[in-house]
């Protein structure tokens, strides 16, 4: 089965073709970062308008890259939520029109399901069941994944997501939006022990996270200090160390609690090298097998949506949706999965 996937939930327009026999045939992405940078963050209306401009050319290019024509496409998958509602509706309207015109089914995919299935795009993919650590710009969750569509959230952030904390702290350090990757880059020249940030929620049992206090810790560290590159790097190092320690410890607890032997890490913060390294150490210490998507499939992409759509269509997932897109949508709530 061959499926085209469309991602437009935030500031990236991405399209891919996935084939159940041949794997990923093509993927392309247009990033809106340059457009939003002047405003210091994503401007939803600009995002929606840009998705309108980009989608059709991207679909044409990806079909050409995949040497596929419309007749070979058996389904159209799109991100139905959560995300910016205007941006989602552009993708949903586009995908459903394409489905109608081509006489193929459309399937609305949960964006986080896309993320947690992304390691299945790699050689040596994880088998079900597994534990997933989802760390994106909007969500931080530990998820018990029993199988396709069988997700139980074990713990999540009570306030900021890990990626959001990276972005906000990066902004405090004067780094341009989106700051997560830039903060990680300068943290490489940071020195251990110059600053100590709190490890949120580690002193309490449970699998909840809280990252909003780290912004305050960063503000306190910055106060009254001349900000040269070394100080910036030292603060970035201490911040990253605190986030990574928290994510790793909660993952360790979740592995212990569930007895899972496989840990999947996905979402934009999954591209963070310090996190990958520490989780690898956790894996070798606890005997759990570790699975990451390649860094470009940690952040938003169309390949994960095409893959999730293909798996769902193959499983015969054809439910009438209540709405084409949802801005807020809990993972595991399948009331609006697709049509
Ligand atoms: O999954 P994603 O592309 O979008 C959402 O679904 O939210 O994640 C984007 C987030 C942003 O907050 C970005 O700053 C963060 O992932 N991010 C990173 C790194 N690369 C991206 N955070 C830390 N280290 C990185 N290398
Ligand atoms: Zn995402």
């Amino acid at each position: 089965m061959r499926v085209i996937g469309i991602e437009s939930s935030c500031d990236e327009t991405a399209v891919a073709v996935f084939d159940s026999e041949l794997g990923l045939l093509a993927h392309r992405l247009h990033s809106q970062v340059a457009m939003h940078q002047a405003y210091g963050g994503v401007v939803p209306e600009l995002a929606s308008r840009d998705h309108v401009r980009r989608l059709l050319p991207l679909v044409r290019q990806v079909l050409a890259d995949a040497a596929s024509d419309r007749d070979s496409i058996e389904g159209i998958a799109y991100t139905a939520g959560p995300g910016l509602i205007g941006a989602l509706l552009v993708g949903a309207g586009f995908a459903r029109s394409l489905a109608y015109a081509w006489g193929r089914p459309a399937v609305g995919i949960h964006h986080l399901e896309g993320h947690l299935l992304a390691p299945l795009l790699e050689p040596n993919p994880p088998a079900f069941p597994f534990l997933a650590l989802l760390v994106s710009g909007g969500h931080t969750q530990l998820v018990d994944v029993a199988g396709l569509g069988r997700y139980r959230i074990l713990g999540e952030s009570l306030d900021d997501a890990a990626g959001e904390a990276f972005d906000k702290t990066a902004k405090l350090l004067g780094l341009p939006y989106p700051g997560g990757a830039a903060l990680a880059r300068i943290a490489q020249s940071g020195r251990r022990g110059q600053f100590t940030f709190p490890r949120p929620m580690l002193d309490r049992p449970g699998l909840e996270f809280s990252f909003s206090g780290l912004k305050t810790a960063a503000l306190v560290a910055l106060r009254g200090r001349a900000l040269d590159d070394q100080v910036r790097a030292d603060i970035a190092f201490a911040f990253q160390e605190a986030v990574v320690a928290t994510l790793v410890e909660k993952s360790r607890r979740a592995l212990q609690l569930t007895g899972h032997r496989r840990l999947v890490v996905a979402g934009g913060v999954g591209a963070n090298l310090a996190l990958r390294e520490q989780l690898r150490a956790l894996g070798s210490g606890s005997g759990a097998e570790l699975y990451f998507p390649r860094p470009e499939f940690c952040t938003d992409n169309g390949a994960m949506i095409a893959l999730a759509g293909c798996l769902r269509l193959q499983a015969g997932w054809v439910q009438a949706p209540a709405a084409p897109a949802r801005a807020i949508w809990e993972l595991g709530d399948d009331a609006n999965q697709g049509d």
Side-chain angles (χ1 to χ4, degrees), residues 134-136 138-142 155-157 160-163 209 211 247:
L134 274 177
V135 271
S136 73
H139 295 82
T140 301
Q141 296 181 334
L142 279 160
E156 61 190 325
S157 179
D160 290 355
F209 303 91
F211 291 113
L247 293 173

Side-chain angles (χ1 to χ4, degrees), residues 27-323:
H27 64 100
R28 280 187 187 241
L29 177 145
H30 173 77
S31 165
Q32 300 179 354
V33 162
M35 184 180 75
H36 296 296
Q37 213 145 36
Y39 306 93
V42 179
V43 183
E45 182 60 21
L46 292 182
S48 308
R49 288 169 189 230
D50 203 57
H51 289 309
V52 172
R53 271 192 295 273
R54 305 290 170 185
L55 272 171
L56 196 52
L58 272 176
V59 165
R60 287 208 174 99
Q61 285 164 347
V62 164
L63 286 177
D65 293 348
S68 294
D69 57 16
R70 54 182 268 184
D71 294 335
S72 64
I73 302 294
E74 290 161 82
I76 294 106
Y78 68 95
T79 302
L84 301 172
I85 192 63
L88 290 167
L89 282 170
V90 171
F94 181 87
R96 286 166 158 241
S97 307
L98 212 56
Y100 182 73
W102 291 359
R104 300 296 196 194
V107 56
I109 297 297
H110 194 293
H111 182 76
L112 296 180
E113 175 176 62
H115 274 305
L116 68 82
L117 296 178
L120 273 63
L121 290 161
E122 304 302 338
N124 187 25
F128 294 120
F130 55 75
L131 175 72
L133 172 66
L134 274 177
V135 271
S136 73
H139 295 82
T140 301
Q141 296 181 334
L142 279 160
V143 187
D144 188 339
V145 179
L148 181 69
R150 296 168 60 205
Y151 311 125
R152 190 164 62 93
I153 298 170
L154 301 170
E156 61 190 325
S157 179
L158 303 175
D159 41 54
D160 290 355
E164 193 178 355
F166 263 92
D167 293 340
K168 287 178 174 171
T169 304
K171 203 168 189 171
L172 291 175
L173 292 173
L175 301 168
Y177 147 88
L183 187 152
R185 218 169 300 121
I186 67 166
Q188 283 173 348
S189 36
R191 297 165 298 177
R192 186 180 305 277
Q194 298 298 309
F195 294 93
T196 309
F197 276 48
R199 276 30 176 181
M201 313 285 285
L202 280 196
D203 50 347
R204 294 188 220 170
L207 300 173
E208 253 67 57
F209 303 91
S210 165
F211 291 113
S212 69
L214 290 177
K215 283 190 309 275
T216 319
L219 264 178
V220 170
L222 287 164
R223 197 171 291 151
R225 233 175 254 276
L227 258 196
D228 61 23
D229 285 352
Q230 189 59 57
V231 173
R232 266 201 198 91
D234 291 342
I235 293 175
F237 180 94
F239 165 83
Q240 178 174 271
E241 198 182 33
V243 174
V244 168
T246 307
L247 293 173
V248 171
E249 170 58 17
K250 298 277 170 163
S251 302
R252 189 192 64 74
R253 289 184 197 171
L255 281 172
Q256 203 171 35
L257 185 84
T258 57
H260 279 309
R261 312 294 295 164
R262 285 178 284 270
L263 174 62
V264 157
V265 186
V269 183
N272 185 279
L273 294 177
L275 177 65
R276 286 176 171 244
E277 195 183 299
Q278 300 272 322
L279 284 171
R280 270 201 199 96
L282 170 70
S284 41
S286 63
E289 220 49 74
L290 215 60
Y291 298 89
F292 299 103
R294 72 195 81 164
E296 70 176 312
F297 291 161
C298 281
T299 46
D300 291 348
N301 65 85
M304 66 187 194
I305 303 302
L307 166 79
C310 186
L311 295 178
R312 282 199 171 254
L313 286 169
Q314 280 185 312
W317 228 284
V318 272
Q319 286 172 313

